Amino acid sequence: MTLRVSVIGTGYLGATHAAGMAEVGHRVIGIDVDPVRIAVLAAGRSPIYEDGLEPLLVRHTRSGRLRFTTDYREIADWADVHFLALGTPAGPGGAADLRQLEAAIDSLAPMLTKPTLVVGKSTVPVGTALQLQERLRALAPAGDRVELAWNPEFLREGFAVEDTLRPDRLVFGVQSTAALDLLEQVYAIPLTEATPVVRCDLATAELIKTAANAFLATKISFINSMAQMCQAAGGDVVLLADALGYDKRIGREFLNAGLGFGGGCLPKDIRALAVRATELEVDVLAQLIEAVEAINEGQRAELAELTVEQLGGDVTGARIAVLGAAFKPGTDDTRNSPALTVANRLHAAGARVVIYDPQAELAPKADFTQVATVDEAVTGAEIVLHLTEWPEFRSLDPVALGALATNKIIIDGRLKLHAPTWRDAGWKVVQIGRATSL
Ligand SMILES: NC(=O)c1ccc[n+]([C@@H]2O[C@H](COP(=O)([O-])OP(=O)(O)OC[C@H]3O[C@@H](n4cnc5c(N)ncnc54)[C@H](O)[C@@H]3O)[C@@H](O)[C@H]2O)c1
Ligand SMILES: O=c1ccn([C@@H]2O[C@H](COP(=O)(O)OP(=O)(O)O[C@H]3O[C@H](CO)[C@@H](O)[C@H](O)[C@H]3O)[C@@H](O)[C@H]2O)c(=O)[nH]1
């Protein structure tokens, strides 16, 4: 059944969700306070680099099934269901800043005159949904006939469309059967045909999301701590991860050691979870997360220190080539990018940092020079740092690059380069945790 769906906030999550909802047959309006973003989306263009998003935007804006606006009056009593896809950035002390959600509710609620379902998709601390519902009901003419549900989102940047159309699972945090029925209709076949659905209360839904991110972060920090063991004791963390991964109970994903996790989600979401755990006096969880964060931060610090060490203890004036700026391949997102943390540290230490990334565009006032090709980055470099594992970096020609670089030293911060090929071309290859790599 075709429903009228609004998506409030059209950033990474909201733009993809709006396009996905149109793709499964609903009539959709996306709304944002950013008029430039709305103009781009309304023209069927994607404001972000995200595989497969633009074709959906083109198709559904042309057919009229998908529209975009900055005017809340267009969505208020029009939609059967409103999705909240607002940002929840880190606030002071790392707690989630809920002001975007609150502002959206303050704009929407006074126009809600009939029974309405509002569904949160943003990542929030447990307890937020009930607080927001109170705010909604206090402001809405429809009062208690407005209900909030929580349907957290698990999409990964770079696979956002795929994850939206074919999610691993759906979580419906609800307070009534009416809300559940409506959510089931929103996600009706083909989306839910083979998709497990977890139906639960609001708190469980909120917690499932932050637990998933905390678990992923823990897995990464675990393998990075094993990389440190391999480095100290002699061992190869990639082979170790392969062997662990063959155990079905463990699995190979999120066991890639290297520079650690970044992005607009994992770091801020686990910090917010730690803050909430402390508020609720669940200190063991806060301590676990602190350890995960410390390991992650340590990887960035170590890579910067290793670079300085390779250049004899002083990088003042040294030209350093950085390959990769996005927080991971497949996206142009540089939020909390490990690559940029390392670049910033080296810049602060006096180095001349030159960065190449296939997609991410750095702000013009950034402290480093961004160039358009790997060759430009490597020309005259005293050391090369491989910090974001874009697939194209795996097929670089070390012989040709060796002729451009001043020193043939490369630190592979993501353990993805084929070290023997580089060594055969005369490069010194440094990979933390592959002390005994063949
Ligand atoms: N990025 C992801 O891959 C991803 C995946 C799953 C969950 N999440 C969660 O989803 C939420 C959104 O994340 P994001 O990365 O899309 O953030 P974002 O910052 O890219 O997008 C937020 C959007 O909301 C808009 N906005 C702010 N105030 C508004 C208002 N009052 N009314 C309407 N629009 C308003 C902003 O202009 C922006 O376009 C966060 O809670 C995040 O943790 C993100
Ligand atoms: O083995 C691994 C896997 C990932 N990473 C790093 O971890 C970070 C996060 O990667 P990923 O989880 O793929 O990125 P996101 O797109 O931020 O997605 C995460 O955050 C989203 C927002 O909450 C969730 O919806 C997703 O399920 C969750 O995977 C990146 O810096 C990766 O380089 C590693 O270092 N090693």
Side-chain angles (χ1 to χ4, degrees):
M1 181 176 138
T2 299
L3 294 169
R4 285 170 302 196
V5 172
S6 95
V7 180
I8 306 177
T10 57
Y12 285 87
L13 164 60
T16 314
H17 188 64
M21 286 285 108
E23 177 70 5
V24 300
H26 300 306
R27 289 170 60 201
V28 184
I29 300 182
I31 183 165
D32 204 289
V33 287
D34 179 346
V36 176
R37 176 170 286 265
I38 286 299
V40 169
L41 286 163
R45 282 185 286 122
S46 173
I48 50 172
Y49 173 72
E50 188 60 58
D51 192 33
L53 180 56
E54 198 150 285
L56 293 192
L57 290 169
V58 168
R59 189 169 341 135
H60 297 301
T61 49
R62 280 196 191 149
S63 73
R65 207 191 281 169
L66 175 60
R67 292 193 288 126
F68 291 94
T69 184
T70 54
D71 186 350
Y72 274 88
R73 284 171 300 187
E74 283 187 46
I75 62 161
D77 271 345
W78 171 84
D80 299 309
V81 54
H82 296 280
F83 281 101
L84 303 173
L86 289 308
T88 49
D97 179 344
L98 303 176
R99 281 178 299 179
Q100 291 184 30
L101 280 163
E102 289 164 358
I105 282 176
D106 292 353
S107 302
L108 177 71
M111 299 178 198
L112 297 178
T113 60
K114 57 172 199 180
T116 309
L117 183 65
V118 179
V119 181
K121 285 202 83 63
S122 304
T123 304
V124 293
V126 60
T128 303
L130 278 181
Q131 271 175 36
L132 294 178
Q133 178 171 270
E134 216 171 285
R135 196 177 184 107
L136 253 176
R137 289 180 168 177
L139 294 170
D144 288 359
R145 292 177 301 143
V146 179
E147 188 173 328
L148 203 72
W150 216 263
N151 164 226
E153 176 58 55
F154 301 92
L155 67 80
R156 297 159 298 168
E157 288 178 25
F159 300 90
V161 171
E162 171 68 17
D163 288 348
T164 299
L165 298 178
R166 277 168 286 281
D168 286 345
R169 78 303 218 176
L170 290 164
V171 174
F172 298 158
V174 290
Q175 303 169 85
S176 71
T177 47
L180 185 58
D181 289 347
L182 191 47
L183 272 172
E184 308 251 356
Q185 281 179 43
V186 170
Y187 288 101
I189 288 168
L191 205 56
T192 51
E193 214 167 29
T195 310
V197 179
V198 178
R199 300 165 182 87
C200 57
D201 55 276
L202 294 177
T204 306
E206 294 167 320
L207 282 171
I208 287 169
K209 172 64 200 180
T210 44
N213 279 359
F215 192 78
L216 293 172
T218 304
K219 229 179 152 185
I220 297 169
S221 279
F222 174 78
I223 201 66
N224 280 332
S225 65
M226 290 311 301
Q228 297 293 341
M229 279 300 276
C230 288
Q231 190 67 24
D236 186 327
V237 73
V238 176
L239 297 178
L240 182 146
D242 288 345
L244 291 185
Y246 289 126
D247 186 328
K248 291 187 195 66
R249 296 168 302 172
I250 299 174
R252 180 64 177 80
E253 289 194 48
F254 278 73
L255 283 182
N256 295 314
L259 203 39
F261 58 85
C265 293
L266 258 45
K268 77 155 171 73
D269 291 345
I270 65 167
R271 180 89 303 269
L273 179 60
V275 170
R276 192 76 183 110
T278 304
E279 279 167 12
L280 296 170
E281 296 180 9
V282 186
D283 293 336
V284 282
L285 178 57
Q287 285 157 11
L288 174 68
I289 291 171
E290 273 157 28
V292 167
E293 292 174 323
I295 295 165
N296 198 50
E297 178 48 40
Q299 297 301 103
R300 299 183 192 197
E302 186 182 19
L303 207 136
E305 282 159 23
L306 199 59
T307 307
V308 177
E309 206 180 284
Q310 291 296 322
L311 293 180
D314 184 8
V315 291
T316 313
R319 185 176 162 112
I320 296 177
V322 168
L323 304 186
F327 81 96
K328 66 171 186 177
T331 178
D332 57 359
D333 194 349
T334 57
R335 291 182 288 181
N336 202 337
S337 166
L340 292 187
T341 303
V342 172
N344 269 313
R345 295 228 171 122
L346 294 170
H347 169 78
R352 289 184 295 134
V353 178
V354 182
I355 301 191
Y356 167 75
D357 189 282
Q359 290 298 335
E361 252 178 66
L362 303 176
K365 66 175 170 30
D367 293 327
F368 355 90
T369 311
Q370 183 170 18
V371 290
T373 62
V374 171
D375 284 5
E376 280 175 79
V378 171
T379 300
E382 288 168 51
I383 191 165
V384 179
L385 310 181
H386 174 239
L387 302 186
T388 310
E389 70 278 28
W390 285 95
E392 67 181 71
F393 295 151
R394 250 168 275 163
S395 48
L396 289 173
D397 177 359
V399 175
L401 291 177
L404 300 175
T406 298
N407 295 325
K408 289 200 261 186
I409 310 173
I410 184 161
I411 302 183
D412 177 12
R414 293 291 180 179
L415 310 189
K416 288 289 184 199
L417 299 179
H418 188 244
T421 309
W422 286 77
R423 289 190 181 119
D424 286 350
W427 286 79
K428 175 178 184 184
V429 182
V430 183
Q431 294 179 310
I432 302 167
R434 303 208 77 181
T436 55
S437 75
L438 302 172

